[in-house]
Amino acid sequence: MLTVYSDSHRLQHGQSELIDGTLKPCFETPSRADMVLAAVRERELGDIIHPRRHGLDPILRVHDADYARFLETAWQRWSDMGRDYDALPKMWQVRRLREAIPDHVEGQLCYYSMDCGTPITAGTWAAATAAADTALTGADRLIGGERAVFALTRPPGHHAAFDYCGGYCFLNNAAIAAQALRDRGMRKVAVLDVDYHHGNGTQDIFYRRADVLFLSIHGDPRTEYPFFLGFADEKGEGEGLGYNFNFPLSAGSCVSTWFVALDCALDQIARFGAEALVVSLGVDTYRGDPISRFQLDSPDFVTLGARLAGLKLPTLFCLEGGYAVGPIGTNVVNVLAGFEARG
């Protein structure tokens, strides 16, 4: 399987996030991608290529232009105030506060962020656009006839919505790629999110559309991040009604329960008649993940890959979460190897 990788991911290296009521070193670090790349090479998964640049146009197909402009300029405006540390919000536009976009960068940071765990740094924009290019290059290769491509995207993307960042995510790589596949002639595209945390950003982007089916298997938002989306009764709106499927599972759910949800999702994809599949590949469903609570073990990721291959669709994998850094490479490559072995 072809892998697309950009070393520019290293430019995003946040120093701290607010978690458990205190500032701690970020769980989302460059070492995650390093470990995955090392496993791809060690297991001889296939060729590794660099992405080509695609510019802003495909990003703006799924993201608000003002939001993209904020991301592009935020660090310069932040550092112009003499601040050489990560930019994090200090409040949010919540119920009954006026919904207005402030002029000041600090106010915009609060407006365009959904949490205090997604630091903007000097390299955020370059890293995020390189990740989007990585996903787009993978989509290019699917259009060109590849059966499957792995886009080693970092920073991840599935929490980034039309006009806000969060959950370590700035640009929604999977959504950008899915839209590119549509724009290149695929009539129906499915996006399956297997990360422990609900893909709220992807749901937000496609919630009112019938041409992109979104499905997510994740920890129940009654107890798990991102808390405010990911419930089973969220089915889509308008033309998108019936094209959004959430499978929230209780924290600690066993492997067999998780695979029952996967089979339900795969059945919906088959019924939809998708012409291509984008997988938001988070492996924080691993039993040893420090910020997640499912029970999958490394061999189970081989099974996941084989089940996905059973759909017999052109498939693009975009890396999302997974914070047990030691086994992340094994777990990711197990999915890809399981997919390849199924043939």
Side-chain angles (χ1 to χ4, degrees), residues 23 27 38 90 119 121 127 142 152 174 266 277 279-280 297 304 335:
L23 284 173
F27 282 99
K90 64 180 182 182
T121 73
L142 282 195
L152 207 172
L266 298 181
L277 173 66
V279 179
S280 276
D297 207 344
L304 167 58
V335 176

Side-chain angles (χ1 to χ4, degrees), residues 2-21:
L2 182 70
T3 294
V4 188
Y5 167 81
S6 171
D7 204 50
S8 293
H9 79 87
R10 299 179 189 283
L11 297 173
Q12 172 62 15
H13 193 178
Q15 297 305 299
S16 58
E17 62 175 297
L18 184 65
I19 189 167
D20 299 332

Side-chain angles (χ1 to χ4, degrees), residues 66 91-94 96-104 106-112:
D66 287 339
M91 67 172 292
W92 289 270
Q93 190 274 321
V94 295
R96 292 175 298 283
L97 290 183
R98 185 165 180 169
E99 190 168 347
I101 303 175
D103 294 333
H104 196 280
E106 193 165 19
Q108 290 182 6
L109 182 64
C110 299
Y111 181 85
Y112 287 121

Side-chain angles (χ1 to χ4, degrees), residues 23-214:
L23 284 173
K24 295 182 179 180
C26 292
F27 282 99
E28 204 292 297
T29 63
S31 61
R32 299 176 57 251
D34 294 342
M35 295 296 285
V36 174
L37 182 65
V40 167
R41 287 173 170 157
E42 181 181 349
R43 302 269 291 271
E44 298 181 340
L45 187 69
D47 291 339
I48 301 169
I49 65 170
H50 295 291
R52 72 174 185 86
R53 293 184 178 180
H54 291 73
L56 269 179
D57 286 349
I59 292 171
L60 298 182
R61 293 286 287 136
V62 301
H63 285 295
D64 175 64
D66 287 339
Y67 168 62
R69 191 175 303 111
F70 160 74
L71 288 179
E72 185 177 11
T73 63
W75 177 258
Q76 185 62 56
R77 297 163 65 202
W78 179 265
S79 62
D80 282 348
M81 295 186 293
R83 300 174 177 182
D84 60 358
Y85 44 87
D86 294 354
L88 288 170
K90 64 180 182 182
M91 67 172 292
W92 289 270
Q93 190 274 321
V94 295
R95 294 168 299 284
R96 292 175 298 283
L97 290 183
R98 185 165 180 169
E99 190 168 347
I101 303 175
D103 294 333
H104 196 280
V105 64
E106 193 165 19
Q108 290 182 6
L109 182 64
C110 299
Y111 181 85
Y112 287 121
S113 301
M114 79 170 192
D115 63 21
C116 201
T118 311
I120 291 179
T121 73
T124 295
W125 178 248
T129 51
D133 283 334
T134 297
L136 286 164
T137 301
D140 292 342
R141 290 304 187 106
L142 282 195
I143 293 292
E146 294 280 351
R147 172 174 172 262
V149 179
F150 173 43
L152 207 172
T153 44
R154 182 187 172 270
H158 70 146
H159 292 305
F162 172 69
D163 58 357
Y164 63 79
C165 61
Y168 314 131
C169 304
F170 302 95
L171 298 175
N172 195 313
N173 307 308
I176 291 167
Q179 182 62 52
L181 291 170
R182 284 286 295 112
D183 291 341
R184 299 283 296 278
M186 298 283 192
R187 292 184 307 109
K188 293 183 177 182
V189 177
V191 181
L192 173 63
D193 193 319
V194 296
D195 191 279
Y196 180 80
H197 305 96
H198 176 249
N200 61 285
T202 316
Q203 174 171 307
D204 174 71
I205 289 166
F206 295 121
Y207 201 61
R208 295 162 187 82
R209 291 174 52 175
D211 56 333
V212 179
L213 177 72
F214 176 66

